[in-house]
Amino acid sequence: MPDSQQADDEIHEDQLLNFLVNTLTGAFSLNLGENADIDAEDIFEVLVGACADGTSVSELCDVSKDAPPATNILYHLRSKFDFDTVASVGNLLLQRDVIEHLPEQVEVVVDLHLRPYYGDEDETSGLYHSEAKAGTTAFHAYATLYARVRNKRYTLAVRRLEDGDTASSVLAEFLGVLEGLDPEVKAVYLDRGFYDGKCLTLLQAHNYAYVTPVVKWGEAIQEELDQGWSRTIEHDLTTEFDGHEWTVEFPVYIDCTYQNGRYDEHGVARHGYAVDASFIDTPRQARQHYSKRFGIESSYRLSEKTTISTTTRDATQRLLFVVISLLFQNVWRYLHWEYVATPRRGGRRLWKWSFEEFIDMVTRAAWTALAVRRAVPANRPPDDRFER
C-alpha cells in the first residue's frame, strides 16, 4: 500500500483474521458441550480460512498441522447450526457494521443468483427449479438485497430459495427488511426475475420508485420491443391472487442503441424497462440508472473467489457458507472506509487496497494460524536445481 503519509498505524494479516473470526464467534452462540475437543473459534477459523482460500473444509484440515480434524468440524456444522438461526443471524451480521455508514437516502438492488446443481436428478427436492441454464434446471438459489453507496455495494440480506418460493414472497421479505432500516430508499433496481404483476403491485403499495427490465410476455410487448426507436409506452400486467384478478399499470421506457458489432451482434438493440421513478424522464436515463444493477453482479464474481468448496446438499451449511462469503466483502469495504481511508476535508481518500489483496492477506494469516503444510515428503534429497 502507499507511503507513510497514509496513517500512523497498521492493520496486520493476523488482525484481519481475528476480526472475521471474532465477528462470527460473537454472532453465533454454539453449545459444543464440556467435553468438546474444539471451540467455536476453532470452527470459524477453519471456515474463514477455507473461504479465503476457496478450498474445502476437509482439504484445509488435511494439510494443516494445527487444524482440528475435518470430521469434528463437519460434525458440528451438521449438528450445531439450524437453518432459521443461520438465516436470521446471518442477515443481522451482514447489516451490523454497514448500517452506520449508510447515508440518509440509498439505492437498493434485489438480485437472484443460481448456482447449478449437477447431482442425481432424484435428489433435487428442496432445490430451486428454473429455466435450463448451464445444462441443468435445478439450482442452489439465493436472493440478495444490496445497498449501493458511493459506488460501493453492501449486502443487507440474503435468502435461500426453494421450489415453491415466488418472486413476490421474496420481495415482500426484503421490503420488510427495508422498512426496518433508517435510510430512505431512493429507488429499487430489480432482477428481471421480479418482473411480474405481484412484485410491481408490492412496490407501488410501498411507494418505492423502481426500475426492472421487461420480459417479453404477450404479443403486444413483443411487437413494441421488436420495432421502432426510443420511446415511452404505457403497459399493464394482469395477475391473480386468491381467486381475484387485478391489473397493474406502468410506463415502459424503450431505449434503442446500435450494437456496432458488440458481442458479434449488429443492428438495433432495444431495451425495455418498467419504470416508476420521478428522477427518470427518458429511456436513456432508464437504461443508465439500471446499469447500476449490473455492477452488483460483480459482488457475485467476488463471492466466487471466497466460496468454500463443498458437495453437500445441506441447506443450512450452504447458506452459512454464502453468508461468510458475502461477509468478507462487507468487512473489506467497512475496514477500507473506516480504517484504511484517510479522513480529509471534502471526503475520505480511499487508498488502494483491492479485495484480492484482502483475501490474500486473510489466506496467509489462516495458513500461519493453522500451520498449513509448506513442505512435502521427498524420497531423496533435493539437488542443486532446488538452490539459488
Side-chain angles (χ1 to χ4, degrees):
M1 284 193 289
D3 53 45
S4 59
Q5 296 179 357
Q6 178 179 350
D8 296 327
D9 295 309
E10 294 178 326
I11 299 177
H12 294 274
E13 295 174 348
D14 59 319
Q15 293 173 312
L16 295 178
L17 176 64
N18 293 342
F19 188 95
L20 286 162
V21 172
N22 291 338
T23 298
L24 289 163
T25 304
F28 292 97
S29 299
L30 302 182
N31 182 15
L32 303 183
E34 296 181 359
N35 298 323
D37 296 332
I38 61 176
D39 57 24
E41 287 190 3
D42 295 327
I43 294 175
F44 287 120
E45 188 172 58
V46 170
L47 293 182
V48 169
C51 191
D53 197 21
T55 188
S56 67
V57 170
S58 297
E59 177 67 21
L60 182 60
C61 291
D62 288 345
V63 298
S64 303
K65 289 183 179 180
D66 295 343
T71 52
N72 287 9
I73 300 290
L74 297 175
Y75 167 76
H76 290 301
L77 287 177
R78 290 192 301 268
S79 61
K80 304 302 180 183
F81 292 86
D82 68 90
F83 184 84
D84 291 339
T85 300
V86 171
S88 58
V89 173
N91 286 342
L92 293 175
L93 191 60
L94 291 171
Q95 297 170 21
R96 193 179 72 174
D97 291 324
V98 169
I99 298 301
E100 62 186 83
H101 292 286
L102 296 182
E104 294 182 358
Q105 190 179 68
V106 296
E107 296 175 315
V108 299
V109 179
V110 181
D111 211 347
L112 294 175
H113 182 57
L114 306 179
R115 293 180 173 174
Y117 171 76
Y118 296 112
D120 194 329
E121 294 183 0
D122 297 329
E123 298 181 359
T124 59
S125 61
L127 298 181
Y128 184 75
H129 289 79
S130 183
E131 296 180 358
K133 178 182 178 182
T136 182
T137 58
F139 303 90
H140 298 285
Y142 301 91
T144 42
L145 175 68
Y146 294 92
R148 182 179 181 274
V149 182
R150 293 183 292 270
N151 292 321
K152 294 182 290 294
R153 293 163 289 277
Y154 296 93
T155 308
L156 300 178
V158 59
R159 185 188 187 281
R160 184 177 184 274
L161 302 183
E162 296 182 354
D163 247 10
D165 285 327
T166 63
S168 58
S169 65
V170 173
L171 181 60
E173 288 187 28
F174 283 166
L175 294 183
V177 172
L178 295 177
E179 292 290 337
L181 303 181
D182 291 333
E184 176 188 354
V185 176
K186 177 183 178 181
V188 181
Y189 301 94
L190 301 112
D191 183 278
R192 68 176 59 250
F194 293 90
Y195 175 75
D196 65 37
K198 292 180 182 178
C199 289
L200 299 187
T201 300
L202 273 173
L203 291 165
Q204 292 182 1
H206 284 79
N207 199 29
Y208 284 140
Y210 64 82
V211 182
T212 183
V214 169
V215 180
K216 294 182 179 181
W217 290 337
E219 294 182 1
I221 193 65
Q222 287 185 31
E223 185 176 343
E224 292 286 357
L225 292 175
D226 287 341
Q227 62 183 4
W229 197 244
S230 297
R231 62 198 185 281
T232 303
I233 64 171
E234 292 298 321
H235 192 56
D236 62 68
L237 286 176
T238 300
T239 189
E240 183 176 334
F241 184 71
D242 284 344
H244 301 284
E245 284 191 353
W246 74 86
T247 300
V248 57
E249 298 179 348
F250 52 90
V252 172
Y253 288 65
I254 302 174
D255 181 63
C256 302
T257 58
Y258 287 112
Q259 299 189 81
N260 294 326
R262 189 181 185 188
Y263 306 122
D264 294 326
E265 298 287 343
H266 296 273
V268 177
R270 298 176 178 86
H271 308 274
Y273 303 95
V275 178
D276 185 358
S278 60
F279 55 88
I280 294 179
D281 298 317
T282 66
R284 182 53 49 89
Q285 288 179 349
R287 183 165 176 246
Q288 289 173 343
H289 279 281
Y290 188 73
S291 66
K292 299 174 182 178
R293 192 202 74 87
F294 290 101
I296 295 301
E297 293 179 349
S298 67
S299 294
Y300 281 123
R301 290 194 292 272
L302 292 180
S303 70
E304 292 300 326
K305 298 179 180 179
T306 54
T307 298
I308 297 177
S309 177
T310 182
T311 58
T312 182
R313 291 185 59 251
D314 184 85
T316 303
Q317 288 186 48
R318 281 190 167 271
L319 180 60
L320 177 63
F321 295 168
V322 169
V323 167
I324 296 175
S325 178
L326 294 172
L327 178 67
F328 263 66
Q329 297 178 51
N330 277 12
V331 166
W332 165 63
R333 292 187 175 102
Y334 167 73
L335 295 179
H336 198 179
W337 182 258
E338 186 68 15
Y339 287 89
V340 179
T342 303
R344 63 177 181 176
R345 182 177 299 176
R348 297 191 176 213
R349 179 175 181 179
L350 278 176
W351 297 89
K352 184 178 180 181
W353 188 36
S354 68
F355 185 61
E356 288 75 10
E357 184 180 3
F358 169 75
I359 295 172
D360 290 342
M361 293 175 72
V362 175
T363 301
R364 290 193 297 266
W367 283 3
T368 300
L370 298 173
V372 170
R373 184 173 64 194
R374 304 296 178 93
V376 294
N379 58 19
R380 59 177 176 173
D383 55 35
D384 293 342
R385 292 173 296 176
F386 294 84
E387 305 297 333
R388 50 177 295 187

